[in-house]
Amino acid sequence: MAAATSDSGSPRASQSRVTPARPAVTMPHMTPELKASIRILVVDDERSLRESCASVLQYEGYQVSLCSRGEEARETLKRNRFDIVLLDLYMEEVPGLRLLRVCLEAHPDTIVIIITGNPSVDSSLEVLRAGAWDYLPKPFSATHLQIMLGRAAHAVIVARESKMVRAEFEREHGNSELITVLGAAPAFRRAVDLARRVASTDASVFITGESGSGKELIAQFIHHHSRRSSRPLVAINCAALPEPLLESEMFGHCKGAFTGAVRDKPGLLEAANGGTLLLDELVEMSKPIQAKLLRVIQDGVVRRVGSESTDAVVNVRFIACTNRNPEEAVRAGTLREDLYYRLRVVPVHVPPLRDRPADIRLLAEYFLAHYWTRHRGATTPLPKFSDAAARALRARPWKGNVRELQNVVEHMVVLLEPDNIPALGDQPLDDGTTWVPPEVSTEDPYYAARDRLVAEFELHYLTQVITQAGGNMSRAARTAGVDRTTLYRLMERHGLHRKLLTSKDD
C-alpha cells in the first residue's frame, strides 16, 4: 500500500514521497492506449511530492511533464496544451489561483486539479468557482491520487467523445439546438446565459425556482451543452422515494442486502458514470444519505448497500434542484452545510412565469403548435391566439408556472373545438409589418425597462425577417445585414426556432 504523505497543517508543509500502489477499482474503458494519449502536467515546488506524483502517474501509463517554479509553469501553460494539470495552490513565485486562470484562459478545456495543504470550505469553493475541476487535500496516498487522476482522465475521454458527437450533430442539423429553451424576458435570459457559461465546465450547479418554472429544462440544457453530452443525464426525485429505496436506487445494492435483493444491482450513480446526475428536490434527502452522497462527490467512490468494500469509482457531474429555500434548510439542519456548498458552486435561479409576462404568448404559441400537431394532426389548420386571448393569458397568476400554462394549452387542444375555445380564435395575429412598442412603466428601473423594450423589438424583428425568408437563414441574414452566426446567436437568445416560425404560414 502507499505511504501517506505528511502534512503539518501549514500551506508550505514538507511532503514525503508518494509510492506507487494500484487502487482497488479502476475506471472502465481506460485502455493503455487511451492513458498514453493523456498529457498531464504536475506543478509543485516541493521536489519530493512532485517526483512522487510523476512516478505514480508514469507507472499508470500517462504522459507526464513537471514544473518546479511558478514562472516556468506560467510560460509552460501558455505555450503548451495539457489534458490535466495537477497544480499546487501555494507556489512561491506565482500563486496557484493565478496559474489556474492562466491555464484556463489559454486552454479552457483543460482539467485542473488543485493540491492544497490547508483545505477549508472557503478555499475549496474559491478554487472550484475559479474553474478548478476538483481539489486534492494533503496528505494524500498514491491510491487517492490514482483514483482522482483516473476520474479526471475518464472525463477527458468523455469530453473527446462528446466533441465528436456534437460535430456529427452539427454536420447533420446545422446550428440547431438539442434542447428548446424559450423565453426573452431579461431575468430568464440571464439564467440561460449563466447556464450556458457553466455548461462547459464540470462545476456543480444548484438550480432554484418554483415548481413548474423550468428547473429540469435548465438542467437538461446544461448537460447537453457540456463536455459530457455524449453520456446520460440521469435524474432522481429525492422526495418521491422512501429513504431505504432512495439509497438503494442511488448507490445500488448487493445480493442479500435486504429482503428481495436477489442479485447485485448497480445504482444510478454508476449509471450516470461519465454523465450528469440530477438530484431533484435535494432538500428532501435524509441526512444519512446526504453524508454518503458527500463521500461520492469528494472521492468518486461508490459503496453499494450491503457491501463492505468499494464497488465502483465514478466520474459524475452533479446538478441539484429544489423549489424550497436551501439556505433555510441549512439553518434548520435538514440540509448538510458541507454538502450544500459543495453542490452550490454555481447557483442558478429560474424566475417564475409571473415575472416574465412577455414570454407567455411565445410559450403558449409553442405549446399550441406542438399539441395541435400531436392531437389534431399536421393537416388540420392551426388556429391562432387572438390579441384578446393573449391578454387574458397574461392576466392569469400562473401559480403552476410554465407547467400550468402547458397543461392549460393541451387541455384546450384536446377537449374543445376551435370555435369554442375561449382563449383561441380563428383570426390571425397582426401581420407584423409594423412594430408597436409596449407601454413603459416608470415603476421599472431604467435599465430593466430598456432591456425589456430591446428584447421585445429583437424578438419581433427576428420573427418577421425569418418568416419572410421562408426559413432560409442565409437570405434572412442578408436581409438583416448580419452574418449567419450572429443571426443564430440572436435566435438562440430569444428561444426562436426556424421550423416553428415557418410553420405559422403553412
Side-chain angles (χ1 to χ4, degrees), residues 30 79 121 124 145 268 314 357 362 424 433 444 466 470:
M30 287 301 295
R79 292 195 311 267
V121 171
S124 301
L145 176 65
L268 296 180
V314 295
L362 175 66
L424 292 177
T433 55
D444 293 334
I466 295 167

Side-chain angles (χ1 to χ4, degrees), residues 353 357 360-361 364 385-398 404-405 408-409 412 421-425:
L353 188 57
I360 291 176
R361 186 171 192 162
F385 281 102
S386 65
D387 290 337
R391 286 193 296 269
L393 290 174
R394 291 181 62 163
R396 293 185 59 156
W398 300 114
E404 182 185 357
L405 174 61
V408 165
V409 174
M412 292 176 178
I421 295 178
L424 292 177

Side-chain angles (χ1 to χ4, degrees), residues 107-416:
H107 308 288
D109 293 336
T110 299
I111 287 178
V112 181
I113 299 172
I114 296 293
I115 304 174
T116 173
N118 190 24
S120 66
V121 171
D122 291 339
S123 65
S124 301
L125 283 175
E126 184 179 16
V127 299
L128 291 173
R129 286 172 177 163
W133 188 80
D134 210 333
Y135 58 89
L136 188 60
K138 302 174 185 177
F140 56 86
S141 66
T143 298
H144 193 179
L145 176 65
Q146 288 170 312
I147 290 175
M148 176 73 78
L149 267 294
R151 293 169 56 219
H154 187 254
V156 170
I157 300 304
V158 171
R160 293 176 184 174
E161 176 186 299
S162 299
K163 187 175 182 180
M164 293 174 61
V165 171
R166 281 197 303 271
E168 180 65 27
F169 181 86
E170 289 178 2
R171 281 195 296 269
E172 294 181 2
H173 304 281
N175 290 333
S176 300
E177 289 285 354
L178 289 167
I179 297 295
T180 301
V181 179
L182 297 174
F188 183 72
R189 295 317 307 177
R190 283 194 294 271
V192 174
D193 291 342
L194 179 57
R196 186 182 303 281
R197 292 201 303 274
V198 73
S200 60
T201 73
D202 273 331
S204 298
V205 181
F206 206 115
I207 306 174
T208 55
E210 296 179 6
S211 293
S213 58
K215 299 186 296 296
E216 186 171 351
L217 183 68
I218 295 296
Q220 293 173 355
F221 181 86
I222 291 171
H223 173 74
H224 287 289
H225 284 79
S226 75
R227 54 190 174 195
R228 299 174 177 269
S229 58
S230 64
R231 298 300 177 95
L233 169 65
V234 178
I236 184 167
N237 190 322
C238 303
L241 300 172
E243 181 178 341
L245 185 55
L246 176 61
E247 183 180 17
S248 175
E249 284 294 305
M250 284 187 62
F251 300 95
H253 61 255
C254 294
K255 181 180 179 180
F258 50 83
T259 303
V262 297
R263 59 181 177 83
D264 290 348
K265 178 181 180 296
L268 296 180
L269 281 162
E270 292 177 62
N273 188 32
T276 304
L277 184 67
L278 172 60
L279 301 163
D280 197 8
E281 299 308 330
L282 172 77
V283 175
E284 306 298 329
M285 182 184 292
S286 68
K287 295 290 282 295
I289 299 181
Q290 289 181 33
K292 194 170 180 179
L293 174 63
L294 183 62
R295 168 73 185 276
V296 178
I297 295 173
Q298 292 175 336
D299 301 333
V301 174
V302 176
R303 179 175 293 179
R304 297 176 184 172
V305 176
S307 174
E308 296 182 357
S309 61
T310 297
D311 295 291
V313 176
V314 295
N315 158 39
V316 177
R317 183 191 196 161
F318 293 90
I319 300 178
C321 296
T322 184
N323 60 10
R324 295 172 53 186
N325 186 327
E327 295 185 356
E328 287 182 1
V330 171
R331 288 193 293 269
T334 57
L335 178 62
R336 288 180 60 117
E337 184 176 20
D338 48 3
L339 176 62
Y340 172 56
Y341 286 113
R342 190 62 198 260
L343 289 172
R344 189 184 174 272
V345 176
V346 179
V348 176
H349 180 71
V350 183
L353 188 57
R354 62 180 173 275
D355 289 348
R356 39 187 293 217
D359 291 341
I360 291 176
R361 186 171 192 162
L362 175 66
L363 290 165
E365 289 176 349
Y366 175 81
F367 293 139
L368 174 61
H370 174 75
Y371 288 117
W372 193 265
T373 301
R374 173 188 289 185
H375 297 300
R376 304 284 182 141
T379 59
T380 308
L382 176 67
K384 306 289 185 180
F385 281 102
S386 65
D387 290 337
R391 286 193 296 269
L393 290 174
R394 291 181 62 163
R396 293 185 59 156
W398 300 114
K399 295 181 180 180
N401 294 292
V402 178
R403 185 183 295 124
E404 182 185 357
L405 174 61
Q406 179 179 357
N407 292 339
V408 165
V409 174
E410 184 175 17
H411 172 88
M412 292 176 178
V413 170
V414 171
L415 298 181
L416 301 177

